[in-house]
Structure formats: structure tokens, C-alpha cells
Amino acid sequence: MSEDLDNTLRKALRRVDPGEDFTARVLARVAAEARSESSGDMRSANRSVSRLVWLPVALAASLVLAVVVTYEWQARRERAGLEARDQVIEALRVTSEKLDLAYQIVNSPPPSRTPDDAGA
Amino acid sequence: MPDDSFASARAGKPAGFAALVRLHQSLVYGIALRMLMDRALAEDLSQEVFLQLHQNIRAIESHEHLAFWLRRVTAHRAIDRLRQNRRIETIALEDDAEIFAATPDDDPLLRKHLHGLILQLAPVARAVVLLRYQEDLDPVEIARTLEIPVNTVKSHLKRSLSALREKLSGVACVSL
Amino acid sequence: MKIATKCFAVPFLWAVLSLPALAAPLPGRLLLPDFSALGPKATESVSITLDAPLLATAARFLDGGDPDQRAVKDMIGGLRGIYVKSYTFEKAFAYATADIDAVRKQLATPGWQQIVQVRSGKPQTAVDIFVFQVQGESGGLAIIATEPREFTIVNIVGAIDLDKLHKLEGRFGIPKLPSTAGAGVQNPAK
């Protein structure tokens, strides 16, 4: 049964092709990202000249670093929170499983008595 | 030729990258679709994965590394997406024949129960089942891909299969 | 000399008076052995340690707009800890019962009351369920389940409502119990 189930699952969960145009859509998106980055680069190149007038480079770098670190910390915190949530659900599942086990033992039919047992 | 396309993609040639996408799109899309149970979301996530691959292709060292990287990134992104929006899991698809491959001897009841089981699984457990049965990875490889302990992988597999067997045995009793 | 003694006595007294509070475990909390040495022998293992701050963190990530998650959030709201140790082995009785017995000894202390004790001969399976009572109110739950190839210890600190757990059945992979947990299960205390 176990092997049948394994084979059945493998058949049912074979890889799924997204279709002929998928590759084209990916390439289009790659191209769009590349265009977006290069236009962003040009705009920032123009702005950096004026920025140098207003803001020391070191201060700008520190601000960027602070933003990145804060983002990283928040992302880590979120991952930890989501992991804790999954663990709560897993713990409740195990608890329920064992309560179910107790119930099954209590409600399982008693062993049948053979004629030899009658006098025991 | 996979070897040519890999080297070509690493060299920054669009044709090489396109060949890599074609070669691996069903791997990525299959995981995304069965994790998110929504075609549009799966398409979006799959595109993101390949976009990320394009940006990091030079860090990929070999074909084996590429397959490992794609599975890992797809699974992790899908898990994160599911965790952020649990409502994705409750969207029931009217036609799940695409998600669970229909075959000539297809059992629609099995498909329905598989669908229900997958929906019930927590994100990581779902990824474990998919990596086992779609990608045919063993528990050690699954553990490496998802960066979780091997025993956790085995635990998820055991519970998921047990739940599926229970569902199927219940159906068998009714049909008698 | 007098001043020195006085200055010393106050912090010393504070330390002595606060020691019992620092040393005493939370009521309803069991001290579970470190089973990490069993890890390599086990085919599966689950080890969950969620104290009050982690439970609060988990609650923040449960979506109050989703009925299922709201139910979980509601259930864990009054809890101060959830601890689970579960190990499965390939061979029967690959674990030492002494460690399990050490946990049982803690459940013989005042406050704990056994409400369920079930045994099955085939296979040798035992499930014991205890509740911790604080002034008549539930303050904790403990479950010890032993089978030839698996043992599980669950300790929940705080007021757990088993009816609420029952309502979660069929969701998140939580198995469906035929009726409310505890109903139909003989209470040896009665």
C-alpha cells in the first residue's frame, strides 16, 4: 500500500509546464528590469552631482546602511514570528494527536475471549 | 544542449538564458503552483525566481547547483508568500486537474483528497511533500534545500502520508 | 564597620528573599530532560519550546481576520508556555524509560492531578493526562504518551481549553476527534 501510494503521489505530482509563452514572458520581464535599472542609474547619476553639494557622502552611506540593517532586522523578526506561529500550530497538532490516541485506546473493542479463557 | 546553454547564460547571452528557462520552467512552476494553488500567483512567483536567477547566474557553479538553487529559491519564496498571506491557501480551484496531473487511469477522488490534504498542510510541510514527490529528493536533500533538520523532514512526510492514507481509507469504506 | 554591614545586608537580604522566586519554576511547568542525545537514534523528532514572549510573538503573526487563525490566537491567549518533546525510533524500546519516569515523578507533586490513564497491550501503549490546578482553576496540562517506537511529552502552561482545541480539528492538519477530548475517556479519579 505504501509503495502504491508513493507511486500514485509521484504520478499525480509530476512537474507542470507553464506553457510555451512562459519563457518569452520571463525574458520580457528581464528586459524590463534591465531598462528600469539603467534609467534609474541615469537619473541617480544626475542627482548625485547636486547631492554632493548638499550632503556629505559619508552621512548618506550611513543612512543607507541604517535602512538596510533595519530592514534586515525586521525581516529576521518577521521570519522568527512566522516560525513561532508555525510551531504553535505544530504543538497543537501533536497535542490533539495524543488526545486522539487516548480516545482510540478507550474505544477500541476489548480482546475477544476464547473458551479457554472462560474459566480463567 | 544543457552544457552549452549553461555556459552561454553565464556569459550573459539571452539565448543561453532562454534555453535554461525552458529546461527548468516546469520544475519551478510545478513547485510554485502546488505551493500557492493559484495559477496567476504561481506564474508571478516563477517569473520572479528566474529574474533572480538572471541577476545571480554568475554565482551558479554547475547544472546540479542550478537545480538545487532553483528548488531552494522557489520553495523559500513560496513559503514566505504563504506565510504572509494565509488566505491563499483557502482558494479552492474549480479545476485541479492541472495541479495534480491527470492520467488515463486518473482517480478524481484521489485528486480531490490530495488537493484537500495539500491545502491543510503548513507551508514547510507542503514544500517537503512536493520536493519528495515532484522532485524525487530524499530526506537529506530536502533538508538541505529547505535548511531544516532531517528529522523534521521525516516527521512532516510521515504525518502527511498518514493523513492522506486516512482520507483514502475513509473513502474506501464509504464506497463499499 | 556598622555602615559596611548595613550596606552589605540590604542587597544580601534582597538576594536571599528573591532566590526562591528566581529558583521556582512557573506553576504548571515541567522540567523536561534534554533529549538531544536521542536525536541521532531517532527517525523523527519534534522539540518545541515556546515560552510566554514567543507565544506573544506567534500571536502577533496570527491573522485575526482569518477565522481559523483567530481561533488559534484565542486559544493561546491565556497560555504562558508550550513545550513538546516527541521522538520516533525504528526499533522498539530504543529509548530509556528512566527519563520518562523522571517527568512522571514531577507529576506526583502537589497541584497535579491525573485525569486520564489508559493502557493498551497490543502494542504496549500508555497515555497519561494530567491537569495542574491553581485554586480550582486550570493552570496547565501534561500528556505523556509512550508506544514501543515513540514517546511524546506535552506540557502546556496556563489555562488550556480543550473544547477550543476540539473546534480546531480538521484545520491546520489537526486530527478530528470523534467527540470532545475527554468525553468518553474514563477518569480514574472518579
Side-chain angles (χ1 to χ4, degrees):
Chain A
M1 163 73 171
S2 178
E3 212 175 291
D4 286 340
L5 185 58
D6 272 6
N7 289 335
T8 304
L9 284 169
R10 279 198 184 87
K11 279 185 201 166
L13 293 174
R14 286 197 305 268
R15 290 178 181 179
V16 181
D17 196 278
E20 287 176 5
D21 297 333
F22 177 78
T23 305
R25 292 194 291 274
V26 168
L27 294 178
R29 192 154 166 186
V30 164
E33 282 288 323
R35 276 195 300 274
S36 160
E37 277 173 16
S38 65
S39 62
D41 284 345
M42 279 176 60
R43 282 196 294 272
S44 68
N46 289 335
R47 269 190 248 119
S48 68
V49 172
S50 46
R51 266 202 198 126
L52 280 171
V53 176
W54 295 102
L55 203 61
V57 170
L59 180 58
S62 304
L63 283 172
V64 167
L65 186 62
V67 166
V68 167
V69 165
T70 304
Y71 174 78
E72 261 304 309
W73 176 78
Q74 280 175 346
R76 220 170 276 172
R77 226 178 112 219
E78 185 176 337
R79 270 197 294 272
L82 293 169
E83 182 65 32
R85 182 192 68 181
D86 288 349
Q87 289 212 331
V88 163
I89 291 170
E90 175 70 9
L92 293 178
R93 188 185 297 135
V94 171
T95 305
S96 203
E97 211 175 82
K98 297 308 156 192
L99 292 173
D100 189 34
L101 178 62
Y103 179 90
Q104 281 174 13
I105 293 172
V106 166
N107 289 284
S108 57
S112 57
R113 290 165 64 85
T114 65
D116 287 341
D117 289 341
Chain B
M1 293 278 181
D3 282 324
D4 290 346
S5 60
F6 182 63
S8 174
R10 285 194 81 203
K13 293 182 180 164
F17 183 72
L20 275 192
V21 173
R22 271 192 293 277
L23 196 58
H24 295 287
Q25 62 187 35
S26 54
L27 179 166
V28 171
Y29 183 72
I31 294 174
L33 182 62
R34 279 134 183 183
M35 285 294 289
L36 302 178
M37 299 296 239
D38 180 293
R39 290 183 200 93
L41 292 172
E43 163 91 21
D44 187 53
L45 189 136
S46 303
Q47 286 186 14
E48 281 177 16
V49 168
F50 282 111
L51 189 60
Q52 190 176 341
L53 174 66
H54 187 261
Q55 291 161 352
N56 295 282
I57 189 72
R58 290 208 179 84
I60 307 295
E61 293 162 3
S62 65
H63 279 292
E64 291 71 31
H65 184 198
L66 174 60
F68 168 78
W69 188 96
L70 286 171
R71 288 182 190 117
R72 191 180 66 174
V73 171
T74 309
H76 279 289
R77 276 180 173 262
I79 288 168
D80 285 347
R81 195 76 69 92
L82 278 176
R83 281 173 171 169
Q84 282 159 16
N85 185 3
R86 288 286 268 203
R87 284 184 195 189
I88 292 173
E89 299 180 82
T90 63
I91 295 170
L93 293 169
E94 288 172 355
D95 179 16
D96 53 18
E98 183 189 19
I99 299 200
F100 305 108
T103 59
D105 53 349
D106 185 32
D107 182 347
L109 211 50
L110 169 65
R111 230 182 28 238
K112 182 187 166 194
H113 285 298
L114 201 52
H115 189 169
L117 167 72
I118 298 284
L119 277 177
Q120 276 197 330
L121 294 176
V124 172
R126 197 181 292 190
V128 166
V129 169
L130 289 177
L131 290 173
R132 177 86 182 107
Y133 292 104
Q134 179 187 303
E135 295 302 304
D136 208 23
L137 299 188
D138 63 37
V140 172
E141 289 167 323
I142 296 171
R144 268 187 63 223
T145 304
L146 297 178
E147 293 168 309
I148 58 176
V150 176
N151 283 339
T152 305
V153 170
K154 290 177 180 174
S155 179
H156 282 311
L157 280 173
K158 182 192 171 189
R159 290 209 168 91
S160 305
L161 291 179
S162 177
L164 183 61
R165 269 189 213 105
E166 199 186 301
K167 280 187 189 293
L168 292 175
S169 63
V171 168
C173 289
V174 167
S175 61
L176 287 172
Chain C
M1 191 66 175
K2 260 193 185 174
I3 294 169
T5 305
K6 191 179 171 186
C7 287
F8 180 69
V10 171
F12 176 72
L13 275 174
W14 175 84
V16 166
L17 287 171
S18 63
L19 265 175
L22 288 170
L26 205 57
R29 166 104 192 249
L30 300 172
L31 294 173
L32 300 183
D34 175 17
F35 291 111
S36 54
L38 291 178
K41 285 202 289 181
T43 54
E44 301 161 28
S45 63
V46 174
S47 182
I48 294 173
T49 301
L50 293 162
D51 54 15
L54 268 176
L55 283 174
T57 301
R60 280 200 293 277
F61 285 85
L62 285 161
D63 179 9
D66 179 293
D68 294 349
Q69 292 190 45
R70 195 170 54 240
V72 174
K73 197 169 178 168
D74 186 37
M75 164 171 278
I76 67 172
L79 302 184
R80 300 175 73 187
I82 301 179
Y83 310 91
V84 176
K85 300 278 183 196
S86 182
Y87 290 81
T88 305
F89 306 88
E90 200 172 321
K91 289 184 184 162
F93 304 111
Y95 59 91
T97 52
D99 286 334
I100 317 290
D101 291 341
V103 178
R104 282 190 209 282
K105 275 187 189 147
Q106 296 177 55
L107 293 164
T109 56
W112 285 103
Q113 184 189 3
Q114 183 160 16
I115 58 167
V116 169
Q117 181 188 60
V118 292
R119 298 288 182 269
S120 170
K122 290 179 184 180
Q124 293 169 41
T125 301
V127 182
D128 300 299
I129 304 176
F130 302 77
V131 291
F132 187 83
Q133 301 259 315
V134 179
Q135 293 171 346
E137 299 282 329
S138 165
L141 176 79
I143 303 174
I144 299 181
T146 55
E147 297 168 76
R149 288 188 184 77
E150 179 180 336
F151 75 84
T152 300
I153 302 173
V154 174
N155 177 211
I156 297 177
V157 184
I160 176 102
D161 187 335
L162 292 180
D163 279 340
K164 286 182 181 170
L165 182 60
H166 171 58
K167 283 176 186 154
L168 287 174
E169 290 156 16
R171 291 178 267 183
F172 304 113
I174 292 173
K176 280 194 173 184
L177 294 177
S179 61
T180 306
V185 178
Q186 293 167 15
N187 184 349
K190 289 191 178 168

